[in-house]
Amino acid sequence: MELFIDSADIDEVRKAARLGVITGCTTNPKLAASAEPGDFRKRVEEILAVIDGPVSVEVVDETVAGMLAEAAEYASWDDRVVVKIPMCLEGLEVIHKLEREQDVRVNVTCMMNSNQTAMAMMAGATYVSLFVGRITDMGYDADVTIAETAQLIEHGGFKARIIAGSMRGVGDIQRSFLAGAHIVTTPYKLLPAMIHHPRTVETIAEFKSAWDEARKSGSVG
Ligand code: E4P
């Protein structure tokens, strides 16, 4: 069970990394476009410097040749760069080539059901990303999709690891792990929310005030 940070914003990635619970990072073109402007390679290198694990970087070209060229560029930046390939027919061809012929790790992205994850895994994907928030938006049960993919991994003997992404709230994180996701990738804002509980805050304050009172009255030195 692992947590990744879903961000291309280096300040958020740094804050998340300091918490000691983050073992990887996922970016996408929309996240990269909304982060601080600047050289993309430099930004990915900054992320790699603070995250110990894999960092996913997504291709945007829609042709097989174009995706392979982008993938080769990203993969040359660092061994920990995982190339994100969107689920489509051209993508399947690219996944197979990268994983089986070029020894490049692939995260297949933008997936909404277990037919897609099955195809990605048969093509050789290391990571399969299910977009929980978007699946839920369409009225489907993302837990079922995650559980089906976990079952396919077992049944097909695949090496793939399930990444649950598109997190909208802490309930999504909780349910995704319980449904069988190996990894949840989350925006930074859900990390403080994961540990917040008003009774915890109250209890900490109650203990501190009892201690402060006792110090003041001299009953503890
Ligand atoms: C996962 O790798 C994606 O970056 C991601 O979680 C996208 O989710 P969203 O665009 O639905 O928020």
Side-chain angles (χ1 to χ4, degrees):
M1 188 173 131
E2 292 181 69
L3 257 187
F4 286 5
I5 177 81
D6 194 24
S7 177
D9 176 323
I10 185 61
D11 295 329
E12 277 184 356
V13 174
R14 282 202 185 101
K15 278 196 286 177
R18 281 201 293 271
L19 300 177
V21 292
I22 298 297
T23 52
C25 174
T26 51
T27 67
N28 68 44
K30 188 174 167 190
L31 289 172
S34 63
E36 189 92 341
D39 181 64
F40 185 53
R41 176 174 181 164
K42 193 169 157 266
R43 191 170 327 145
V44 171
E45 283 169 349
E46 285 172 339
I47 294 173
L48 285 160
V50 289
I51 296 287
D52 284 336
V55 175
S56 289
V57 181
E58 185 166 340
V59 301
V60 287
D61 202 287
E62 289 168 340
T63 64
V64 171
M67 284 193 241
L68 284 170
E70 269 185 82
E73 161 73 10
Y74 297 149
S76 75
W77 294 350
D78 195 281
D79 284 352
R80 285 186 291 121
V81 169
V82 171
V83 179
K84 246 178 158 182
I85 303 290
M87 172 45 70
C88 57
L89 287 178
E90 294 77 8
L92 278 179
E93 203 175 320
V94 171
I95 299 159
H96 182 83
K97 286 195 161 61
L98 291 175
E99 287 275 0
R100 304 245 158 89
E101 294 168 17
Q102 300 179 19
D103 203 29
V104 169
R105 300 289 74 85
V106 173
N107 172 358
V108 184
T109 191
C110 302
M111 291 196 285
M112 309 290 164
N113 68 33
S114 58
N115 280 343
Q116 294 179 323
T117 54
M119 293 294 268
M121 295 190 293
M122 288 188 279
T126 297
Y127 299 97
V128 287
S129 286
L130 281 166
F131 278 26
V132 168
R134 292 179 191 248
I135 294 170
T136 312
D137 290 344
M138 293 182 294
Y140 295 95
D141 186 341
D143 297 358
V144 171
T145 312
I146 292 172
E148 285 170 355
T149 301
Q151 209 181 319
L152 290 171
I153 290 176
E154 190 69 26
H155 181 54
F158 297 115
K159 63 172 183 183
R161 287 164 66 72
I162 303 168
I163 301 182
S166 186
M167 294 290 121
R168 307 277 200 256
V170 292
D172 291 336
I173 300 180
Q174 188 181 36
R175 286 191 304 276
S176 296
F177 276 137
L178 292 173
H182 302 103
I183 298 156
V184 169
T185 189
T186 176
Y188 176 79
K189 66 172 189 223
L190 297 185
L191 292 173
M194 277 294 278
I195 61 153
H196 179 73
H197 195 292
R199 285 292 285 153
T200 301
V201 174
E202 254 173 61
T203 306
I204 294 170
E206 180 189 321
F207 289 178
K208 179 172 178 352
S209 116
W211 175 256
D212 290 346
E213 277 305 310
R215 292 283 293 223
K216 220 188 302 160
S217 66
S219 65
V220 283

